[in-house]
Each structure stands twice: as C-alpha cells, then as structure tokens.
Amino acid sequence: DALEPFYPDRAASRILGMGDVLSLIEKAEQAISQEQAMQLEAKLRTSSLTFEDLLDQLRMVKKLGPLEKLLDLVPGMSQVQGAKEALQGKTMARVEAIILGMTPEERRHPEILNGSRKRRIAAGSGVRLEDVNALIMQLHDMRRMMKGVMGMKKRMKHLGKVHRS
C-alpha cells in the first residue's frame, strides 16, 4: 500500500525538500470525509474543541500513513528534524492512551478534570501526571488560538465594511 503513482514534478519537489502538497491533499481527501471536515470546522469556529475531537483527529491522521512520510509532503518540514521527532508514533500513542483513559464525560468537558481525576488518568494510561497536564494545556491553547483567529477574522471583516462605506 506504500506504492503510489509516479509524478516527476512531485518527486523532484520532495527531493529538493519543497514538499508535495498535492499528494498530501489527495491523501487527506481519501481519509477524511467532507462531513467530518465540516464538523471539525464548526467546532473550531466556536472554540469548542474537546478531547473526543482530538482523538478523532489523531485517528484521521493515522489513516493518512506514517507521520514521517506526511511531514515530507509539507513544504519545508523535511528539514525540520525536531518536528519529525516530536510527532513520532510513540507520542501519538501516548496522547491516545491519555484520552482513552478519560471517561466520556471528561473527554467532552475537560474543565471537570481535577487533581484526582488527572492522577487516575495518568495511572490508567501509564504516563506521568505532567504528560496529562501538558495535554490538557495543549487543548486549552488550541481553543485559545482558535478563539483569537476567529476574533481576528471578525475584526478584518468589520474593517472591510468600514473602508467600503
């Protein structure tokens, strides 16, 4: 299943470290349905991303194939060694284990995660408490970033209306 059609221009781009966005898009279209993409977009717009959404995203990324090969398709990422190491399969497996260690209620409402729940999740998933805390912080950071992006988008739209008048 690692065989794919040969496109000389795409192969040259990969060799030169310029990525292959078209192949990445094709892989994503095969693995992710339009409906899933729309649901994720709606969650991102409202900054209501949950651990269930994060778990769904991890599973979608797994369908795309090994991360090392995916990163080679992204322009500029083939030279960034830290990105490859940070996104290795072990890291993804650890994140998945942490999320699966949560109850469905905790996945949907991460704000209820207190100290004892975090310790239970860490013990159940075989990771350190710091790993659980780091994942919770990542989700909060993602929510905050999306809220900022959506706010900026609204401000830009408003500025466009003001300048047209």
Side-chain angles (χ1 to χ4, degrees):
D1 65 338
L3 293 177
E4 54 188 55
F6 177 72
Y7 300 103
D9 53 335
R10 294 182 188 187
S13 290
R14 285 188 207 176
I15 291 169
L16 295 172
M18 295 167 35
D20 182 1
V21 178
L22 290 175
S23 294
L24 181 61
I25 291 170
E26 287 172 358
K27 283 180 179 267
E29 286 175 342
Q30 291 171 356
I32 303 166
S33 73
Q34 185 72 19
E35 183 181 323
Q36 289 172 318
M38 298 288 277
Q39 288 173 348
L40 177 62
E41 180 186 0
K43 291 261 186 177
L44 291 174
R45 278 183 205 220
T46 59
S47 301
S48 61
L49 202 62
T50 66
F51 282 115
E52 287 181 338
D53 300 320
L54 194 58
L55 186 60
D56 289 342
Q57 294 307 304
L58 280 175
R59 290 178 174 163
M60 280 187 225
V61 169
K62 279 184 176 181
K63 285 182 192 177
L64 295 174
L67 282 176
E68 295 79 28
K69 292 191 184 239
L70 288 178
L71 287 176
D72 286 340
L73 299 177
V74 178
M77 291 304 278
S78 61
Q79 291 93 11
V80 181
Q81 205 58 311
K84 287 184 179 183
E85 294 166 5
L87 293 173
Q88 285 179 340
K90 290 180 182 178
T91 304
M92 288 182 62
R94 187 175 326 136
V95 168
E96 188 172 10
I98 292 169
I99 295 172
L100 291 175
M102 297 175 184
T103 66
E105 185 70 16
E106 291 167 339
R107 288 183 212 148
R108 285 189 290 272
H109 305 286
E111 57 277 354
I112 66 171
L113 293 172
N114 58 22
S116 63
R117 288 177 184 250
K118 291 176 188 177
R119 283 190 293 280
R120 177 188 47 80
I121 293 165
S125 57
V127 300
R128 300 172 311 167
L129 181 60
E130 293 82 19
D131 296 330
V132 175
N133 286 329
L135 183 61
I136 294 168
M137 286 306 300
Q138 283 180 333
L139 182 72
H140 288 299
D141 290 346
M142 289 169 68
R143 285 176 164 180
R144 199 172 321 128
M145 181 183 72
M146 288 314 302
K147 193 175 273 186
V149 167
M150 294 314 293
M152 188 183 330
K153 194 173 180 180
K154 286 179 184 175
R155 286 191 297 273
M156 295 301 282
K157 192 180 243 185
H158 177 71
L159 281 174
K161 289 179 183 176
V162 171
H163 287 293
R164 286 186 201 141
S165 315

